[in-house]
Amino acid sequence: MRQDEIANQLGVSMTPVREALDLLVASGLAERIPYRGVRVMELTNQEITEACSLRMVLEGLAAHEAASVITIPQIQHLEEIIDQMRLHVNLSDMSHARQLSREFHQTIVDASGNQLLSMIYQIVSNRFPDWMLYEALFRHPELLENSLAREHTEHSTLVKALKDGNPELACQSARDHIISLGRDIEELLGIPVHLIKAKEYPA
């Protein structure tokens, strides 16, 4: 992606385009190629499994901390997200479902009250190819119903643990959910089995 070409296509100046591309690079969604411009980040198998492993650790920690301090409005917001996600059951709904899922996870991280954790999580989550999983469901529509049902169950279990103020169960529920996503990566994206399993329970 070249700044001048994008600016011409959108009919805007270079400044907002440059700022937007800088934001994409800073978030880990794109990278700068010297003398060529910016391109969407291409993730290797190792980078994907590392992101999965880090998400498991970070979200487990966030859920553990959030269980003691999460507010009633935050719990209600999580429950509302779950209810909204239950309405998105078709392939055409997956873009919105992905946005809701990301909001669900970010809400829990923010509820921990740990600002540094939240900043690190945003970087790591942008390296996690959830969009690739949703894209894969278009190639395997027969898996959609079970995938959404499992996601709903895992989200609901996590929210209940948070609502009950159970840090240990909240932590384990969050970790189990990310491990489940890791297995989806293995099945749908063809990531080698040993890479996923080596990252499930880091020492």
Side-chain angles (χ1 to χ4, degrees):
M1 296 180 286
R2 297 185 61 86
Q3 295 180 21
D4 53 348
E5 294 176 357
I6 295 175
N8 288 334
Q9 290 176 5
L10 297 178
V12 299
S13 68
M14 294 279 286
T15 300
V17 173
R18 181 169 55 252
E19 292 176 348
L21 292 177
D22 286 343
L23 183 60
L24 288 174
V25 172
S27 65
L29 295 174
E31 60 181 343
R32 290 193 180 279
I33 306 300
Y35 309 110
R36 294 180 58 186
V38 176
R39 71 177 182 185
V40 176
M41 183 69 72
E42 296 181 1
L43 301 177
T44 65
N45 287 351
Q46 181 175 348
E47 289 171 331
I48 290 173
T49 53
E50 286 175 350
C52 182
S53 178
L54 283 172
R55 271 196 66 179
M56 182 185 68
V57 173
L58 294 174
E59 293 201 38
L61 174 60
H64 188 280
E65 294 189 2
S68 301
V69 297
I70 195 167
T71 65
I72 293 177
Q74 287 171 325
I75 289 290
Q76 292 174 337
H77 182 53
L78 290 171
E79 292 174 335
E80 289 170 358
I81 293 175
I82 290 176
D83 289 340
Q84 291 180 52
M85 291 187 70
R86 293 183 67 178
L87 301 177
H88 296 82
V89 296
N90 300 312
L91 286 173
S92 59
D93 300 329
M94 287 304 96
S95 177
H96 193 195
R98 173 175 172 257
Q99 294 175 7
L100 289 170
S101 180
R102 291 178 70 89
E103 182 180 355
F104 177 88
H105 290 275
Q106 187 66 56
T107 297
I108 295 174
V109 174
D110 291 342
S112 72
N114 189 324
Q115 294 184 0
L116 180 58
L117 174 59
S118 182
M119 291 173 57
I120 296 173
Y121 175 75
Q122 289 183 36
I123 296 173
V124 173
S125 64
N126 284 334
R127 307 281 289 193
F128 187 84
D130 57 342
W131 61 271
M132 294 173 68
L133 291 176
Y134 284 102
E135 182 184 55
L137 288 173
F138 279 87
R139 299 192 299 272
H140 302 279
E142 71 280 2
L143 302 177
L144 179 62
E145 183 176 353
N146 287 339
S147 176
L148 294 178
R150 189 192 66 226
E151 182 177 48
H152 171 74
T153 298
E154 292 172 353
H155 281 178
S156 298
T157 299
L158 176 51
V159 170
K160 185 179 186 305
L162 292 169
K163 194 173 185 178
D164 292 342
N166 189 328
E168 287 72 24
L169 182 57
C171 175
Q172 190 59 54
S173 297
R175 289 170 62 91
D176 288 346
H177 178 47
I178 301 304
I179 289 173
S180 181
L181 290 177
R183 294 193 180 109
D184 283 344
I185 288 177
E186 177 182 332
E187 178 180 359
L188 295 174
L189 303 183
I191 302 297
V193 175
H194 73 278
L195 287 177
I196 293 291
K197 294 189 179 303
K199 297 291 184 180
E200 279 192 6
Y201 297 101

